[in-house]
């Protein structure tokens, strides 16, 4: 009954101070909502692959190598590594491999052609390492035959509808390109198992898992190259360090003879020349947030640990700012209630009664803010899911740990906000309270410090928003070395098979198409990559690893690239089979920048020491072959047109042209869908993470400064009320509205100024670290700080004026009336 009375009085108190209560609750609700949404994202990012039973014992073998001036970091290793490690390292319980089919594999069921889902070859013991639950079939034997395949439930439904997929026959068609050679991955397969859909928080997402026994390259014994992602399940109690100490001996044992044959040098000589090759272990749970191997054997683009930590910090700071506001306004307003405390004590209320009363008021406000925060989070989540390409839900709140965390947060904020009036003010004697002789504590100093903290965080976010925006603008406008505008990419043109050249010739005759080239290599977005070949100098003592593009004679003019020396490929001059075009960086690292044309080198053709001579016939101006995150690397172009089409078109005729292209495509009756992409859009997708971060920072900057200003507005309101008699006296003595506003604003603007001094170096530190992810980036100019300061000061001063002008315009007679 007493508790009900406390709640009733608390509710009346909140209603009595509607404006301050509204500001308090709204600010805290926004902080809670923001923190909840970001926390969902952060928790999901850190949850990747942890659902596997033995996730803490599973490791991926990665490659770290240096050959000449080139460094290699690959998530895939050589084919025999898995079997060798299992046989010769006692700590390894199971080893298994995955070969991702980069080609666009299609499934044929009779006359029906379906292209859906990613496909991979996996070893028969794959399910011993990854305990994916089976809906039907036996995980122990599902992949024991060469032509067996396991489907996910969604894939089984897509292929067979409601029919039972087990023992159904399908035909996989596709060609993969591995270790500088084509592998025909086609064949007839029998469905031997159906697994539950692989959770979204997995670093791989395969719809079909075919038996590695059907892959002819799986028995390759080369230790010099390979594309097999290899996983080890260690024995219980075994550590990665124990395994890694034994790996160097094994690599020497199996690699040395092949190195002598392939590179012309022994293991010791290879290392003495400054080269190295190491096989390391990467924990399974670290894969998703380690983007070191993005595009280098990883199955997905992955997340970014730095970005996740930035979002995590923002969530914490946003909640802190909201809690600071709440505590600031609660403690500031409570000192106005000294007479109320005195009257309650005279009427018989004890200290314990007052403690419960003040804490119940704080509890009600925090609880309302928490409920409102949950509702705001629920409303914001669909927009955030679309923005972050996630499918997050508030269902995680029902987990015991999370629920207890929220409960602890309510109690913590309640105690921090209500503790001052509950334990400090309630201890004063009634006479002192009634005479308003309560000694002011150092709370005003604490409040000032908290205001500085709030605006420091806000300014850092504003600086971050401006820097990210400028970097994205730089990315959009930088000279890339090629023209990305008005280029259409048909990635799947090779699906036309024997009709590809006919299709190309028909398009070439269309006057709306300026140029057309047959190549699968594009400088942006998903592209075929091949960097297995080595250029070896005449002494055979050093190598240069190079990116290799397979192109035709129309590639360079279609993409608007510039030849600086020599010539382009031309079939009018005969076969171009052993000719190459290199970029400026390759010419420099080969030491032939002064006279590149006509230089002859040897190119490695296989892992058994095979070589062939190649001649430099041209040098193309450096272009960004990957992204601005990494420096331009040595690159060579060989005459090897295949698979995809890239065309330069007239922008004004775009839609009719696309319709005509699709009509021609459909006329071949291959059953393949017509897909196209624009190169400039693929380029923008390369930096989608940064673009999203910029948008997210903009929203968060607005929210943090809004919440900070709510607190500032409340504190100005409190200050004006405390100094209401002083303001009246000043007006009677002739002070103008501007002078009174200046008086009230001075101290707060000073606090904002201090926050700027702290925020500038902090903002520089964090954004300089972020820009370090780019090989090519902007410099953080002085005007960025000036703009951030201007925005902050204008908003803060406007907030202060909004409340202080009202106080300055009050009739002094009202403020000087006797109480």
């Amino acid at each position: 009954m007493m508790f009900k009375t406390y709640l009733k009085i608390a509710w009346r108190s909140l209603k009595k101070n509607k404006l301050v209560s509204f500001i308090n609750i709204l600010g805290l609700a926004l902080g809670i909502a923001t923190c909840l949404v970001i926390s969902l994202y952060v928790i999901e990012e850190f949850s990747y692959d942890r659902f596997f039973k033995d996730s803490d014992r599973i490791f991926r073998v990665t490659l770290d190598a240096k050959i000449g001036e080139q460094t290699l970091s690959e998530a895939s290793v050589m084919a025999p590594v898995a079997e060798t490690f299992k046989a010769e390292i006692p700590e390894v319980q199971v080893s298994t491999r995955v070969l991702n089919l980069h080609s666009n594999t299609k499934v044929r069921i009779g006359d029906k052609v379906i292209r859906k889902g990613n496909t991979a070859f996996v070893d028969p013991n794959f399910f011993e390492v990854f305990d994916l639950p089976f809906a039907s079939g036996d995980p122990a034997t599902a992949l024991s035959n060469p032509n067996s395949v396991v489907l996910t439930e969604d894939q089984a439904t897509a292929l067979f509808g409601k029919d039972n997929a087990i023992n159904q026959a399908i035909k996989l068609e596709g060609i993969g390109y591995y270790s500088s050679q084509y592998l025909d991955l086609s064949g007839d397969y029998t469905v031997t198992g159906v697994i539950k859909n692989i959770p979204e928080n997995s670093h791989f997402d395969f719809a079909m898992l075919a038996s590695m026994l059907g892959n002819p390259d799986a028995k390759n014994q080369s230790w010099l190259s390979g594309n097999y992602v290899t996983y080890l399940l260690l024995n219980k109690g075994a550590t990665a360090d124990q395994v890694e100490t034994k790996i160097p001996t094994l690599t020497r044992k199996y690699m040395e003879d092949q190195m002598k044959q392939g590179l012309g040098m022994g293991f010791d000589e290879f290392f003495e020349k400054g080269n190295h090759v190491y096989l390391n272990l990467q924990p399974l749970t670290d894969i998703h947030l380690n983007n070191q191997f993005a595009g280098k054997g990883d199955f997905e683009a992955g997340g970014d640990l730095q970005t996740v930590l930035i979002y995590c910090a923002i969530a914490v700071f946003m909640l802190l700012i909201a809690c600071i506001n709440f505590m600031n306004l609660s403690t500031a307003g409570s000192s106005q209630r000294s007479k109320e405390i005195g009257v309650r004590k005279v009427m018989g209320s004890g200290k314990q009664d007052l403690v419960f009363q003040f804490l119940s008021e704080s509890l009600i406000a925090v609880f309302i803010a928490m409920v409102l925060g949950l509702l705001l989070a629920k409303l914001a989540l669909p927009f955030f899911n679309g923005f972050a390409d996630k499918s997050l839900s508030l269902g995680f709140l029902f987990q015991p740990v999370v629920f207890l965390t929220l409960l602890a947060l309510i109690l913590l904020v309640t105690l921090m906000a209500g503790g001052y009036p509950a334990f400090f003010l309630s201890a004063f004697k009634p006479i002192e309270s009634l005479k308003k002789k309560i000694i002011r504590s150092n709370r005003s100093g604490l409040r000032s410090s908290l205001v500085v903290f709030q605006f420091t965080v806000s300014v850092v976010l504003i600086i971050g928003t401006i820097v990210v925006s400028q970097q994205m603008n730089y990315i959009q406008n930088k000279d890339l070395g090629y023209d990305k505008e008005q280029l259409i990419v048909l990635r799947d043109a090779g699906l036309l098979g024997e009709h590809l050249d006919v299709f190309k010739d028909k398009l070439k005759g269309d006057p709306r198409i300026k140029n057309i080239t047959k190549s699968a290599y594009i400088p942006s977005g998903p592209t075929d990559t091949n960097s297995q070949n080595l250029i070896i100098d005449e002494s055979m003592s050093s190598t240069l690893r190079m990116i290799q593009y397979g192109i035709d004679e129309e590639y360079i003019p279609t993409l608007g690239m510039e030849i600086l020396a020599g010539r382009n490929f031309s079939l009018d001059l005969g076969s171009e089979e052993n000719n190459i075009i290199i970029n400026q960086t390759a010419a420099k690292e080969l030491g032939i920048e002064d006279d590149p044309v006509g230089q002859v080198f040897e190119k490695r053709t296989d892992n058994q020491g095979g070589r062939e001579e190649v001649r430099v016939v041209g040098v193309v101006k450096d272009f960004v072959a990957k992204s601005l995150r990494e420096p331009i690397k040595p690159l060579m172009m060989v005459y090897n047109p295949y698979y995809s089409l890239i065309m330069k078109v007239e922008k004004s005729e775009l839609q009719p042209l696309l319709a005509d292209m699709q009509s021609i495509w459909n006329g071949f009756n291959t059953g393949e869908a017509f897909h196209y992409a624009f190169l400039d859009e693929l380029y923008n997708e390369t930096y989608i993470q940064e673009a999203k971060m910029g948008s997210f920072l903009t929203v968060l900057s607005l929210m943090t400064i809004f919440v900070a200003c709510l607190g500032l507005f409340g504190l100005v309101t409190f200050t004006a009320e405390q100094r209401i008699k002083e303001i009246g006296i000043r007006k009677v003595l002739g002070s103008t509205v501007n002078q009174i506003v200046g008086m009230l604003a001075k101290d707060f603007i000073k606090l904002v100024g201090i926050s700027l001094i702290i925020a500038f170096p902090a903002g520089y530190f964090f954004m300089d670290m972020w820009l370090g992810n780019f090989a090519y980036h902007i410099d953080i100019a002085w005007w960025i700080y000036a703009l951030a300061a201007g925005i902050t000061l204008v908003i803060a001063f406007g907030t202060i004026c909004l409340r202080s002008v009202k106080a300055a315009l009050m009739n002094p007679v009202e403020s000087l009336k006797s109480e």
Side-chain angles (χ1 to χ4, degrees), residues 314-345:
I314 290 172
V316 172
F317 284 137
M318 186 68 181
L319 185 60
L320 274 176
I321 288 173
C323 290
I324 286 167
N325 269 355
F326 188 86
M327 290 182 289
N328 258 352
L329 295 179
S330 295
T331 56
S334 62
S335 61
Q336 295 287 82
R337 301 174 65 180
S338 57
K339 284 200 171 184
E340 177 190 343
I341 295 170
V343 171
R344 286 181 180 276
K345 284 202 166 189

Side-chain angles (χ1 to χ4, degrees), residues 580-597:
I580 63 172
I581 297 172
I582 61 176
N583 66 353
Q584 289 173 279
T585 298
K588 182 178 180 180
E589 295 200 17
L590 289 168
I592 59 172
E593 63 263 47
D594 295 331
D595 185 24
V597 178

